[in-house]
Amino acid sequence: MTDEAQKTAVNGDDDAREYLTFTLGEEEYGIDILNVQEIRGYDTVTRIANSPAFIKGVINMRGVIVPIIDMRLKFNLGEVEYNQFTVVIILNITGRVVGMVVDGVSDVIALKRDQIRPAPEFGAVLDTAYIDGLATLDERMVIMVDIEKLMNSEEMGLVERARAEAG
Amino acid sequence: MTIDMGRFHQVFFDEAGEHLAAMEALLLELDVEAPDLEVLHAIFRAAHSIKGGAGTFGFADMAQVTHVLETLLEGLRNQQTAPTVEMIDLLLETGDLLKAQLAAHQEGVDLEDPRVELVCARIEQLSRIDPAADSVTLRRMPPGATAQQWRIEFRPDQLLREPDGDLSALWDALGDLGQTERLAEDSPQLAVWRLTTQMGREAVTETFAFVCDPRLVRIEADPEISVPGIQGETNQGESQDAVAPADKEEDSGFGFFADAPGSERVLDQEHDGFGLFGASPGMDQVAAIAARDQDEAEQGFGFFDSAPGTPDAAMGRDSPPDAEPDPAPARAGTALAPGADSTPKRRAAPESSIRVGVEKVDQLINLVGELVITHAMLAESTSILDPVAHERMFDGLGNLERNSRDLQQAVMSIRMVPISFVFSRFPRVVRDTAAALGKRVTLNLVGEDTELDKGLIERLVDPLNHLVRNSIDHGIETPERRREAGKSEQGEIVLAASHRGGNVVVEVSDDGAGLNRDRLLAKAAERGLVLSENPSDKEVWQLVFAAGFSTAERVTDISGRGVGMDVVRRNIEGMNGRVEIDSQPGRGTRITIRLPLTLAILDGMSVRVGEEVFILPLTVIRESIRPQREQYKTLAGKGQVVQVSDEYLPLVVLHALFRLEEQQTRPEEGIVVIVDTNEGRAALQVAELLAQHQVVIKSLETNYRKVEGISGATIMGDGRVAMILDVDALVRMSRQRA
């Protein structure tokens, strides 16, 4: 993992990893920055027939067809608006590229493993199964999300059940 | 020196596969009555290349089998043994075994198969029949035994001024040294003798020196015993050992090789020269002798002259087994590689093809697709400019368009491969199947050069296999029945491929009994399949494709279980293709497969439904109409239908099916496209037909999952994504909703 090696070299820190934080409703979430391919604005999408409402459709990203999901719709976070400030985080989850619409992108933070505490059962919009832990950052609480697990989950409906590659 | 062998394994797998395929094709080509020596040589070379590669990469089991195989082939090509049908069958079986072993190695396991022992034993038995039986016993001699076998080849007419007189004198003189035998009938052009003696090469050479110039005589250690421990497994080590001394001699070694090909001389002897290559057993022997005869530069020279390079050169025919460099020299030794492998022929025509991973080509296709789209976007945004004021820009754009289209076509053609890749397996399939069923069948291949996408080629194998076997089993009658019907006993199957209007058409036809309409109808009634009254022949033939439908009176291990044809149709439809059957009782059956040229590009019509644009493949579109209100009907149990001439076609309302908002809800405001589906024709209602495009097909499944009713996606000129419709699935969905 050269990326990781590079990152530690930059940080001069052995086990610190970088996380991208974004907001959804009232809460702030963090995901491993290695899963983030790019951040872009919201384009017009092409709808996919008979898909759930939170799957907005697909876009053409330099020749790659990328599905776009709106996390705000997925987690029923009130009013959803698409304008020039709407942000899409393009994720790369084990080779699959997925766009995720969030309320806003806030920061890139470096955290050591011991700064992330296990998450108690609590009423976040996200199921605890997809939560890695909690980190506190200057009075802010950041919920660390296991984005790979979340995106591969059946709940998101992004992948074929049982992932039959042949089909 | 350590080399990562893994890198080379794939090369070996690819090449061994090709060699095996070539060997099989050649074996089938071989006429037992009058064996063609060139074919025998080519078969031997294929086996030898596999052995070399297998030995080098440590696949001992394959090396062992090929070694035994080689022994038999050696006898064949030296004309010591005559090929028999039994032998060909055995050789084919051995080929299958090797394929199985290769497949096992590819998966990283060793094949445990009792057939190995069996086949090896049978081959050994067959090779032992040959007159040179003593070589078998000699082979058993412990390494280091003093007796040597020398193989002597020369042209009596060149050496001896009075051919008849001196030949016997020479024979007697050699007889003084040891035991002599003729390996082939002496002729003025060639004499091949074998001498078993305890004397060294010098003594033999001296004997020749009495009657002629010894340099014109080729004397070499007989491969049968010259290398100790040749039993296969040790192949690798041995060749490396042998290489080592040759390596040391690099300077003089290179001297040899520079001169080595000696192409003119070798080619001069093309007509009668086969005996020369009789003992070109390959580099291990070459190396062994090179090492032993370091001090005999003269003779070594002569040896290299002909032995290693010759087969290719003298054959002068295009033989696939040698088109690729043997994987063995890649490792076996640097000094040897050029000499053993670079034949005069190859020097004249350097390597003309390269192996490239399919993903690289696909990436290229993607990029070119992007380029085309980018151009379309540019063209769109400049369309508002004044053409006169911006003349140069429009010229440039025109050029860009032309170039990118050409580029796209050129890149697409990389993926195209001739259909002979699929067809080439069928001589074997027909031979085996016909033999198993006691039928006599010939196979004719037509249009083997027809090119189509590599992806399609691979997926065409299974369906064609099914169809051909079906034709032999159910189509072609037994010889007796054919005679009764006044046909020749030999049935004929034709596999034909051609390009027709942007499609590739593959036909499998036989001159057998044809389909039996009454039996099909009876079977359909028995299985409760609903047919229209008085169905057309075409409808009846389509029954064959219904799942579990077999009219064979008995189930054989080849076909008759009724699982074949529906799979065939599904496979073909998976490639956006169509299957049709045409049959005439007593005359035969023809099955026609229509396929798109490629899976990567599609000719389509863009249609609007609500706000969305979809692509409809042109191949499925029959016509489009704007029906009158009274043409729409609702049938109980069948949902909405449209009456077109005197047919009622099921109506698929796209916006309802996809839950899109549609302004016009009255059907007569829209347009109905009549499409061909696998369940017959259907009517697809859309709002508007937009334009015809050639689109690059992209998979939705790369980053998402399969969507019902959609076969893929593409990127339109404005950069937006459009979905490609799958009409078969749409009709199915529509019926389920109704």
Side-chain angles (χ1 to χ4, degrees):
Chain A
M1 276 267 130
T2 46
D3 303 40
E4 224 148 309
Q6 238 171 13
K7 201 151 55 71
T8 19
V10 170
N11 292 344
D13 221 329
D14 278 340
D15 55 348
R17 296 170 72 105
E18 284 185 297
Y19 296 86
L20 180 78
T21 63
F22 57 88
T23 51
L24 263 184
E26 301 290 301
E27 287 154 355
E28 194 169 6
Y29 294 88
I31 51 173
D32 191 331
I33 205 155
L34 292 180
N35 285 125
V36 179
Q37 188 170 313
E38 65 183 83
I39 297 164
R40 54 187 287 148
Y42 186 81
D43 274 338
T44 348
V45 296
T46 300
R47 289 185 44 191
I48 301 172
N50 300 320
S51 58
F54 68 89
I55 295 185
K56 295 303 296 175
V58 289
I59 59 161
N60 160 33
M61 212 180 76
R62 294 182 294 277
V64 182
I65 310 265
V66 179
I68 301 291
I69 51 175
D70 194 326
M71 299 300 264
R72 305 169 298 180
L73 289 174
K74 170 72 189 159
F75 299 116
N76 304 314
L77 293 170
E79 216 173 296
V80 173
E81 216 183 315
Y82 298 100
N83 54 31
Q84 53 192 348
F85 302 111
T86 308
V87 174
V88 183
I89 302 174
I90 306 290
L91 301 165
N92 191 325
I93 313 285
T94 52
R96 294 171 82 95
V97 185
V98 179
M100 172 171 83
V101 183
V102 295
D103 276 333
V105 170
S106 26
D107 214 348
V108 175
I109 54 173
L111 289 175
K112 284 190 194 165
R113 192 66 234 178
D114 55 19
Q115 284 177 280
I116 301 172
R117 287 173 283 107
E121 288 285 335
F122 65 110
V125 292
L126 212 58
D127 194 306
T128 346
Y130 310 121
I131 293 176
D132 244 1
L134 297 174
T136 321
L137 215 74
D138 328 318
E139 310 298 304
R140 280 154 44 202
M141 188 190 71
V142 182
I143 304 165
M144 313 309 288
V145 183
D146 185 343
I147 194 76
E148 290 192 16
K149 202 167 171 187
L150 176 65
M151 289 297 167
N152 282 325
S153 68
E154 215 170 282
E155 190 185 339
M156 300 303 290
L158 284 172
V159 287
E160 218 80 56
R161 225 151 292 182
R163 279 197 78 168
E165 291 291 355
Chain B
M1 179 174 65
T2 51
I3 302 174
D4 173 20
M5 294 302 280
R7 279 194 304 145
F8 297 113
H9 280 176
Q10 195 48 49
V11 178
F12 169 69
F13 293 146
D14 288 351
E15 288 179 355
E18 278 167 22
H19 286 312
L20 281 171
M23 196 167 93
E24 186 177 297
L26 290 163
L27 279 169
L28 291 167
E29 193 184 300
L30 191 71
D31 181 359
V32 176
E33 313 281 286
D36 184 347
L37 265 175
E38 293 196 356
V39 175
L40 287 173
H41 281 305
I43 295 171
F44 178 85
R45 283 201 308 273
H48 182 71
S49 305
I50 299 167
K51 175 181 149 185
T56 310
F57 291 105
F59 300 134
D61 51 348
M62 288 185 74
Q64 188 196 344
V65 174
T66 35
H67 175 71
V68 180
L69 187 66
E70 214 181 67
T71 317
L72 177 58
L73 290 170
E74 174 79 16
L76 281 177
R77 68 179 194 150
N78 289 345
Q79 293 178 296
Q80 288 162 355
T81 13
T84 60
V85 178
E86 182 200 6
M87 226 179 251
I88 305 294
D89 284 337
L90 181 60
L91 288 171
L92 285 171
E93 200 180 312
T94 317
D96 291 343
L97 191 63
L98 284 167
K99 271 182 212 161
Q101 286 180 326
L102 190 67
H105 283 306
Q106 244 163 328
E107 287 174 10
V109 293
D110 277 350
L111 184 76
E112 301 281 344
D113 196 325
R115 281 187 303 164
V116 178
E117 294 289 314
L118 206 70
V119 166
C120 287
R122 278 171 60 201
I123 299 177
E124 271 177 349
Q125 200 183 353
L126 276 182
S127 17
R128 215 162 293 165
I129 300 169
D130 71 13
D134 56 341
S135 72
V136 178
T137 40
L138 279 170
R139 198 162 14 129
R140 301 265 150 79
M141 288 199 311
T146 45
Q148 265 287 356
Q149 273 198 339
W150 297 103
R151 187 190 171 85
I152 300 161
E153 288 175 18
F154 60 96
R155 295 185 56 147
D157 60 345
Q158 269 185 356
L159 304 191
L160 314 164
R161 262 151 240 133
E162 301 151 77
D164 290 323
D166 289 356
L167 209 55
S168 55
L170 191 57
W171 178 263
D172 293 339
L174 286 173
D176 291 342
L177 297 173
Q179 191 195 346
T180 45
E181 58 179 312
R182 282 187 170 84
L183 297 182
E185 199 60 42
D186 286 347
S187 75
Q189 282 82 32
L190 182 78
V192 187
W193 295 349
R194 179 188 286 156
L195 172 67
T196 312
T197 176
Q198 303 196 340
M199 313 298 256
R201 173 175 291 226
E202 295 86 338
V204 183
T205 317
E206 261 168 47
T207 312
F208 274 93
F210 283 115
V211 287
C212 62
D213 183 352
R215 271 175 299 185
L216 291 175
V217 181
R218 231 154 60 89
I219 302 169
E220 55 192 61
D222 195 293
E224 291 296 303
I225 60 155
S226 64
V227 183
I230 197 165
Q231 295 295 354
E233 288 102 316
T234 52
N235 200 9
Q236 176 191 357
E238 153 205 320
S239 74
Q240 278 181 324
D241 291 348
V243 169
D247 247 319
K248 283 180 204 140
E249 277 204 310
E250 209 167 305
D251 287 349
S252 55
F254 272 135
F256 287 164
F257 299 126
D259 291 342
S263 52
E264 283 141 59
R265 215 186 98 192
V266 168
L267 286 169
D268 279 346
Q269 298 181 343
E270 189 171 334
H271 307 290
D272 49 359
F274 53 80
L276 278 174
F277 336 120
S280 59
M283 40 166 210
D284 33 10
Q285 278 85 14
V286 174
I289 290 165
R292 194 159 48 237
D293 293 351
Q294 280 171 21
D295 50 339
E296 290 178 298
E298 274 285 296
Q299 279 159 17
F301 201 97
F303 182 81
F304 278 107
D305 247 355
S306 37
T310 324
D312 256 7
M315 286 309 167
R317 69 191 283 263
D318 193 25
S319 52
D322 284 293
E324 301 286 340
D326 194 312
R331 177 174 178 195
T334 40
L336 251 181
D341 217 52
S342 57
T343 65
K345 186 178 130 204
R346 189 133 356 108
R347 272 192 196 178
E351 192 79 11
S352 58
S353 69
I354 48 168
R355 259 174 211 282
V356 180
V358 178
E359 6 12 297
K360 277 192 182 171
V361 177
D362 287 348
Q363 197 185 356
L364 210 55
I365 290 173
N366 264 339
L367 285 172
V368 173
E370 286 310 293
L371 190 64
V372 172
I373 292 161
T374 315
H375 166 263
M377 285 178 181
L378 273 178
E380 204 173 292
S381 43
T382 48
S383 60
I384 46 162
L385 299 175
D386 174 14
V388 182
H390 301 87
E391 197 191 336
R392 288 184 59 184
M393 173 137 89
F394 280 92
D395 279 355
L397 273 174
N399 278 335
L400 179 65
E401 176 171 15
R402 246 191 327 279
N403 289 339
S404 44
R405 295 273 171 208
D406 286 354
L407 184 63
Q408 188 173 32
Q409 254 170 21
V411 169
M412 292 308 290
S413 74
I414 299 178
R415 272 189 70 105
M416 296 296 195
V417 281
I419 201 162
S420 55
F421 275 84
V422 187
F423 279 9
S424 61
R425 69 174 50 221
F426 285 104
R428 175 79 190 275
V429 171
V430 169
R431 187 191 135 100
D432 289 358
T433 317
L437 292 164
K439 294 182 180 177
R440 291 177 55 193
V441 184
T442 51
L443 174 71
N444 265 334
L445 300 177
V446 180
E448 289 172 270
D449 297 333
T450 310
E451 289 193 328
L452 73 163
D453 193 276
K454 187 173 160 55
L456 290 172
I457 288 268
E458 281 154 10
R459 291 163 66 177
L460 200 56
V461 171
D462 282 350
L464 275 185
N465 213 354
H466 249 114
L467 292 176
V468 169
R469 287 159 72 104
N470 254 333
S471 281
I472 301 171
D473 198 8
H474 305 315
I476 306 276
E477 314 93 322
T478 55
E480 300 82 61
R481 271 212 214 160
R482 289 183 68 89
R483 212 172 327 126
E484 282 162 24
K487 297 196 250 186
S488 93
E489 287 185 17
Q490 192 116 7
E492 189 186 36
I493 289 185
V494 182
L495 263 178
S498 59
H499 284 296
R500 235 177 269 169
N503 281 325
V504 176
V505 179
V506 183
E507 286 178 351
V508 182
S509 43
D510 64 60
D511 64 347
L515 295 173
N516 187 326
R517 185 185 158 99
D518 295 335
R519 204 154 79 209
L520 281 168
L521 286 174
K523 188 90 184 177
E526 188 185 306
R527 291 178 43 91
L529 293 172
V530 189
L531 274 176
S532 58
E533 276 173 52
N534 207 359
S536 68
D537 273 356
K538 225 164 191 149
E539 278 178 76
V540 177
W541 305 152
Q542 286 291 322
L543 283 172
V544 173
F545 292 117
F549 202 96
S550 176
T551 54
E553 285 143 65
R554 69 207 154 83
V555 171
T556 64
D557 60 345
I558 287 160
S559 51
R561 279 183 237 279
V563 284
M565 292 302 260
D566 61 315
V567 176
V568 167
R569 186 167 77 169
R570 242 198 339 266
N571 287 352
I572 301 291
E573 277 163 3
M575 298 184 257
N576 291 325
R578 289 272 175 274
V579 203
E580 276 166 32
I581 296 192
D582 209 8
S583 183
Q584 280 187 329
R587 301 278 294 278
T589 308
R590 184 171 68 226
I591 296 166
T592 310
I593 300 171
R594 264 165 224 283
L595 292 170
L597 267 183
T598 163
L599 287 176
I601 282 196
L602 177 110
D603 277 309
M605 172 78 75
S606 53
V607 298
R608 185 178 64 81
V609 182
E611 295 292 296
E612 301 284 328
V613 174
F614 292 94
I615 303 287
L616 202 51
L618 269 193
T619 48
V620 305
I621 301 181
R622 273 286 176 93
E623 57 180 324
S624 54
I625 51 168
R626 195 184 278 269
Q628 300 300 309
R629 183 167 197 95
E630 53 274 18
Q631 285 179 266
Y632 290 95
K633 298 207 163 63
T634 306
L635 290 189
K638 275 199 158 181
Q640 272 198 298
V641 294
V642 183
Q643 187 186 8
V644 180
S645 47
D646 53 354
E647 246 187 306
Y648 289 97
L649 304 178
L651 179 70
V652 178
V653 185
L654 215 52
H655 68 261
L657 210 54
F658 283 167
R659 301 204 179 94
L660 302 169
E661 307 86 37
E662 178 66 293
Q663 289 90 357
Q664 79 247 19
T665 40
R666 294 216 320 247
E668 58 269 28
E669 283 175 9
I671 280 199
V672 160
V673 185
I674 313 292
V675 292
D676 276 322
T677 75
N678 55 20
E679 295 167 41
R681 293 201 280 164
L684 199 65
Q685 175 155 18
V686 300
E688 200 183 344
L689 298 181
L690 297 174
Q692 198 175 315
H693 309 263
Q694 201 172 55
V695 299
V696 179
I697 303 173
K698 308 241 171 193
S699 166
L700 262 185
E701 282 135 271
T702 320
N703 293 318
Y704 190 55
R705 59 197 176 86
K706 187 145 182 49
V707 179
E708 206 183 4
I710 302 289
S711 65
T714 189
I715 295 161
M716 305 295 288
D718 59 2
R720 288 195 55 179
V721 180
M723 300 292 168
I724 301 168
L725 298 171
D726 175 354
V727 288
D728 295 343
L730 289 175
V731 171
R732 205 165 47 234
M733 283 164 74
S734 170
R735 201 185 41 232
Q736 282 161 1
R737 297 275 166 90

Short mmCIF file of all heavy atoms in Angstrom, two decimals, chain A residues 40-68:
data_model
loop_
_atom_site.label_atom_id
_atom_site.label_comp_id
_atom_site.label_asym_id
_atom_site.label_seq_id
_atom_site.Cartn_x
_atom_site.Cartn_y
_atom_site.Cartn_z
N ARG A 40 -17.51 16.39 -6.32
CA ARG A 40 -17.96 17.20 -7.44
C ARG A 40 -19.36 17.73 -7.19
O ARG A 40 -20.02 17.36 -6.23
CB ARG A 40 -17.92 16.41 -8.74
CG ARG A 40 -18.69 15.10 -8.66
CD ARG A 40 -18.48 14.26 -9.90
NE ARG A 40 -19.18 14.81 -11.05
CZ ARG A 40 -18.73 14.70 -12.31
NH1 ARG A 40 -17.60 14.10 -12.54
NH2 ARG A 40 -19.43 15.19 -13.30
N GLY A 41 -19.79 18.61 -8.08
CA GLY A 41 -21.14 19.16 -7.97
C GLY A 41 -22.16 18.18 -8.49
O GLY A 41 -21.82 17.12 -9.01
N TYR A 42 -23.40 18.56 -8.36
CA TYR A 42 -24.48 17.66 -8.78
C TYR A 42 -24.84 17.94 -10.23
O TYR A 42 -25.12 19.08 -10.61
CB TYR A 42 -25.69 17.86 -7.87
CG TYR A 42 -26.81 16.90 -8.13
CD1 TYR A 42 -26.77 15.60 -7.62
CD2 TYR A 42 -27.91 17.27 -8.90
CE1 TYR A 42 -27.79 14.72 -7.85
CE2 TYR A 42 -28.95 16.38 -9.15
CZ TYR A 42 -28.88 15.10 -8.62
OH TYR A 42 -29.89 14.22 -8.85
N ASP A 43 -24.80 16.92 -11.07
CA ASP A 43 -25.19 17.03 -12.47
C ASP A 43 -26.57 16.43 -12.66
O ASP A 43 -27.04 15.69 -11.81
CB ASP A 43 -24.24 16.19 -13.33
CG ASP A 43 -23.00 16.96 -13.72
OD1 ASP A 43 -23.07 18.20 -13.69
OD2 ASP A 43 -21.97 16.31 -14.01
N THR A 44 -27.14 16.72 -13.81
CA THR A 44 -28.40 16.05 -14.12
C THR A 44 -28.12 14.56 -14.25
O THR A 44 -27.13 14.15 -14.84
CB THR A 44 -28.97 16.52 -15.47
OG1 THR A 44 -28.24 17.65 -15.89
CG2 THR A 44 -30.43 16.76 -15.38
N VAL A 45 -29.02 13.78 -13.69
CA VAL A 45 -28.82 12.34 -13.75
C VAL A 45 -29.80 11.73 -14.74
O VAL A 45 -30.79 12.36 -15.11
CB VAL A 45 -29.03 11.68 -12.37
CG1 VAL A 45 -28.00 12.17 -11.39
CG2 VAL A 45 -30.44 11.89 -11.89
N THR A 46 -29.49 10.53 -15.15
CA THR A 46 -30.45 9.76 -15.94
C THR A 46 -31.09 8.77 -15.00
O THR A 46 -30.41 7.99 -14.32
CB THR A 46 -29.72 9.00 -17.07
OG1 THR A 46 -29.07 9.95 -17.90
CG2 THR A 46 -30.69 8.18 -17.89
N ARG A 47 -32.40 8.82 -14.95
CA ARG A 47 -33.08 7.97 -13.96
C ARG A 47 -33.01 6.50 -14.33
O ARG A 47 -32.93 6.14 -15.50
CB ARG A 47 -34.54 8.41 -13.85
CG ARG A 47 -34.68 9.74 -13.16
CD ARG A 47 -36.13 10.07 -12.97
NE ARG A 47 -36.86 8.90 -12.50
CZ ARG A 47 -38.19 8.86 -12.45
NH1 ARG A 47 -38.90 9.89 -12.85
NH2 ARG A 47 -38.81 7.79 -12.00
N ILE A 48 -33.01 5.70 -13.30
CA ILE A 48 -33.04 4.25 -13.52
C ILE A 48 -34.45 3.78 -13.21
O ILE A 48 -35.00 4.09 -12.15
CB ILE A 48 -32.05 3.52 -12.60
CG1 ILE A 48 -30.62 4.03 -12.86
CG2 ILE A 48 -32.10 2.02 -12.83
CD1 ILE A 48 -29.60 3.51 -11.89
N ALA A 49 -35.04 3.06 -14.16
CA ALA A 49 -36.42 2.63 -14.02
C ALA A 49 -36.60 1.77 -12.78
O ALA A 49 -35.77 0.93 -12.47
CB ALA A 49 -36.83 1.85 -15.26
N ASN A 50 -37.70 2.00 -12.10
CA ASN A 50 -38.11 1.15 -10.98
C ASN A 50 -37.05 1.00 -9.89
O ASN A 50 -36.90 -0.07 -9.32
CB ASN A 50 -38.53 -0.23 -11.49
CG ASN A 50 -39.68 -0.14 -12.45
OD1 ASN A 50 -40.61 0.64 -12.25
ND2 ASN A 50 -39.61 -0.90 -13.53
N SER A 51 -36.30 2.06 -9.64
CA SER A 51 -35.34 1.98 -8.55
C SER A 51 -35.87 2.80 -7.38
O SER A 51 -36.73 3.65 -7.56
CB SER A 51 -33.98 2.51 -9.01
OG SER A 51 -34.13 3.84 -9.46
N PRO A 52 -35.38 2.53 -6.18
CA PRO A 52 -35.86 3.31 -5.03
C PRO A 52 -35.56 4.79 -5.20
O PRO A 52 -34.64 5.17 -5.93
CB PRO A 52 -35.08 2.71 -3.85
CG PRO A 52 -34.11 1.75 -4.42
CD PRO A 52 -34.46 1.48 -5.83
N ALA A 53 -36.32 5.64 -4.51
CA ALA A 53 -36.22 7.08 -4.71
C ALA A 53 -34.82 7.60 -4.38
O ALA A 53 -34.35 8.56 -5.00
CB ALA A 53 -37.26 7.79 -3.85
N PHE A 54 -34.15 6.99 -3.40
CA PHE A 54 -32.85 7.56 -3.01
C PHE A 54 -31.76 7.28 -4.05
O PHE A 54 -30.72 7.91 -4.02
CB PHE A 54 -32.43 7.07 -1.61
CG PHE A 54 -32.09 5.62 -1.55
CD1 PHE A 54 -30.80 5.18 -1.80
CD2 PHE A 54 -33.06 4.68 -1.20
CE1 PHE A 54 -30.48 3.84 -1.73
CE2 PHE A 54 -32.75 3.34 -1.13
CZ PHE A 54 -31.47 2.91 -1.40
N ILE A 55 -32.02 6.33 -4.95
CA ILE A 55 -31.08 6.16 -6.06
C ILE A 55 -31.52 7.12 -7.15
O ILE A 55 -32.53 6.93 -7.82
CB ILE A 55 -31.07 4.69 -6.54
CG1 ILE A 55 -30.52 3.83 -5.41
CG2 ILE A 55 -30.22 4.55 -7.81
CD1 ILE A 55 -30.31 2.39 -5.73
N LYS A 56 -30.77 8.22 -7.26
CA LYS A 56 -31.20 9.29 -8.15
C LYS A 56 -31.09 8.89 -9.62
O LYS A 56 -31.86 9.35 -10.44
CB LYS A 56 -30.35 10.55 -7.92
CG LYS A 56 -30.51 11.17 -6.56
CD LYS A 56 -31.96 11.53 -6.27
CE LYS A 56 -32.50 12.60 -7.21
NZ LYS A 56 -33.94 12.83 -6.96
N GLY A 57 -30.12 8.06 -9.92
CA GLY A 57 -29.91 7.68 -11.32
C GLY A 57 -28.43 7.51 -11.58
O GLY A 57 -27.66 7.28 -10.65
N VAL A 58 -28.05 7.64 -12.83
CA VAL A 58 -26.63 7.48 -13.16
C VAL A 58 -26.13 8.72 -13.89
O VAL A 58 -26.89 9.43 -14.54
CB VAL A 58 -26.39 6.22 -14.03
CG1 VAL A 58 -26.60 4.96 -13.25
CG2 VAL A 58 -27.26 6.24 -15.27
N ILE A 59 -24.84 8.96 -13.75
CA ILE A 59 -24.22 10.04 -14.51
C ILE A 59 -23.05 9.46 -15.31
O ILE A 59 -22.57 8.35 -15.02
CB ILE A 59 -23.69 11.18 -13.60
CG1 ILE A 59 -22.66 10.64 -12.59
CG2 ILE A 59 -24.82 11.91 -12.91
CD1 ILE A 59 -21.79 11.71 -12.00
N ASN A 60 -22.62 10.23 -16.28
CA ASN A 60 -21.44 9.87 -17.05
C ASN A 60 -20.26 10.61 -16.47
O ASN A 60 -20.19 11.83 -16.51
CB ASN A 60 -21.67 10.28 -18.52
CG ASN A 60 -20.37 10.39 -19.29
OD1 ASN A 60 -19.42 9.66 -19.04
ND2 ASN A 60 -20.35 11.32 -20.23
N MET A 61 -19.36 9.88 -15.88
CA MET A 61 -18.17 10.53 -15.35
C MET A 61 -16.99 10.10 -16.20
O MET A 61 -16.43 9.03 -16.01
CB MET A 61 -17.97 10.12 -13.89
CG MET A 61 -17.32 11.19 -13.05
SD MET A 61 -17.14 10.60 -11.37
CE MET A 61 -15.76 9.51 -11.56
N ARG A 62 -16.64 10.90 -17.18
CA ARG A 62 -15.56 10.59 -18.11
C ARG A 62 -15.67 9.16 -18.65
O ARG A 62 -14.73 8.39 -18.62
CB ARG A 62 -14.20 10.80 -17.44
CG ARG A 62 -13.95 12.26 -17.10
CD ARG A 62 -12.58 12.44 -16.48
NE ARG A 62 -12.49 11.80 -15.18
CZ ARG A 62 -12.90 12.34 -14.04
NH1 ARG A 62 -13.43 13.54 -14.05
NH2 ARG A 62 -12.75 11.71 -12.92
N GLY A 63 -16.84 8.82 -19.11
CA GLY A 63 -17.02 7.54 -19.77
C GLY A 63 -17.43 6.42 -18.84
O GLY A 63 -17.76 5.33 -19.30
N VAL A 64 -17.40 6.66 -17.55
CA VAL A 64 -17.80 5.62 -16.61
C VAL A 64 -19.22 5.95 -16.14
O VAL A 64 -19.53 7.10 -15.82
CB VAL A 64 -16.85 5.58 -15.39
CG1 VAL A 64 -17.23 4.46 -14.44
CG2 VAL A 64 -15.42 5.42 -15.87
N ILE A 65 -20.07 4.93 -16.14
CA ILE A 65 -21.45 5.13 -15.69
C ILE A 65 -21.46 4.97 -14.17
O ILE A 65 -21.13 3.90 -13.66
CB ILE A 65 -22.38 4.09 -16.33
CG1 ILE A 65 -22.16 4.03 -17.84
CG2 ILE A 65 -23.81 4.34 -15.92
CD1 ILE A 65 -23.05 4.85 -18.66
N VAL A 66 -21.81 6.05 -13.48
CA VAL A 66 -21.73 6.04 -12.02
C VAL A 66 -23.12 6.26 -11.42
O VAL A 66 -23.78 7.25 -11.73
CB VAL A 66 -20.78 7.16 -11.54
CG1 VAL A 66 -20.69 7.18 -10.02
CG2 VAL A 66 -19.39 6.97 -12.14
N PRO A 67 -23.58 5.35 -10.58
CA PRO A 67 -24.86 5.58 -9.91
C PRO A 67 -24.72 6.64 -8.83
O PRO A 67 -23.68 6.74 -8.17
CB PRO A 67 -25.19 4.21 -9.31
CG PRO A 67 -23.89 3.51 -9.17
CD PRO A 67 -22.97 4.06 -10.23
N ILE A 68 -25.76 7.43 -8.67
CA ILE A 68 -25.75 8.49 -7.66
C ILE A 68 -26.85 8.19 -6.65
O ILE A 68 -28.00 7.98 -7.03
CB ILE A 68 -26.04 9.87 -8.32
CG1 ILE A 68 -24.98 10.18 -9.39
CG2 ILE A 68 -26.11 10.96 -7.26
CD1 ILE A 68 -23.60 10.44 -8.85
#
